[in-house]
Amino acid sequence: MAKELKTIAVLTSGGDAPGMNAAIRAVVRTGLARGLKVKGIKKGYMGLLNEEIIDMESRSVSEILQRGGTILGTARCLEFKTKEGQQKGAEVCRKHGIDGVVVIGGDGSYRGAQALSRLGINTIGLPGTIDLDIACTDYTIGFDTAVNTAMQAIDKVKDTSSSHERCSIIEVMGRNAGYIALWCGVANGAEDILLPEKYDFNEQSIINNIISNRKRGKTHHIIINAEGIGHSTSMARRIEAATGIETRATILGYMQRGGSPTCKDRFYASIMGAYAVDILMGGKTNRVVGYRDGKFVDYDIEEALNMTKSIDEYQWEVAHLL
Ligand code: ADP
Ligand code: F6P
């Protein structure tokens, strides 16, 4: 299988994440350096089905390291969840001489990669999501940038919140996972951190906390609320009514997904992109690349999808303590 590999392709799928461009660049340049032809598939699996496929040269990925988003574009494609869609995708790969695909995305995107692999196209997944919610890896492309963007925004909200002696509920992204909320909660010194994995919906205890902090002379009260809990605006109204303290909700939203990637995201994404090509060259397929215990590793996609992870208990305890 390894000897036959001549042409590989790269695509980004699901939500974009800062650092995806560094991964694309590394796939392209490592592939070319190893003597392969490299193609770019635009707009994820949708672009594959529509044959939006372009040749990638070294210059195609110049000046993209510092850019947020993904130069290939991304999409969610329902058709690719069907057997017919997957078969068409594999046929399109064969038509374009593509025998290996690097898929940068999350768990859903790996399901697509797994389907292609079963249909004879070698596939490797890279973890691209700001949510850090991929179980087989301690690192996902984009999380570091997103969490730094959110942290800086929260610092700003905190300034105005203190000046007005207000309570602020700041909602951060993460889908059903609370990693962005936990990290910002600690990094921004929030008074309360609400994570979907931990929240008991006991709003009264938050209200009591706000009142006792105000009695002790605190001028602000920052609550970091995860998107997986949501309802920040109505929560703010209820808290203001119960405490008599002006309360505002700020939903940070998509700004967390954009912007120039941090050094960490550029570096890790670059190594992972190269790693994906090298394991494809080594004859591997149906694998997902991760970073665990200080090393870049790869797992069978099914094994990776069956793994679970949750908020670290010690980190959660420390978040409370501080
Ligand atoms: P993420 O990759 O970030 O988890 P999604 O769950 O939206 O994001 O998945 C991205 C894309 O991957 C979907 O739009 C679809 O094209 C493809 N995909 C998701 N689930 C499957 C599946 N079960 N089988 C095949 N393809 C899938
Ligand atoms: O997975 C990244 C993410 O930004 C999540 O944090 C969020 O829940 C979701 O994507 C939003 O997706 P969409 O771009 O489809 O609105």
Side-chain angles (χ1 to χ4, degrees), residues 13-15 45-46 75-82 86 104-113 115 128-129 175:
S13 170
Y45 294 118
M46 190 186 284
R76 304 201 201 265
C77 173
L78 285 181
E79 193 184 344
F80 207 72
K81 291 189 178 183
T82 65
Q86 293 158 8
I104 310 170
D107 285 349
S109 304
Y110 302 158
R111 288 270 174 227
T129 170
R175 205 185 289 260

Side-chain angles (χ1 to χ4, degrees), residues 14-17 76 128-133 172-177 180 227-228 253-254 256-257:
D16 66 336
R76 304 201 201 265
T129 170
I130 64 164
D131 303 332
L132 196 68
D133 61 349
V172 296
M173 272 190 166
R175 205 185 289 260
N176 300 316
I180 298 178
E227 175 192 17
Y254 291 96
Q256 293 161 96
R257 237 161 64 179

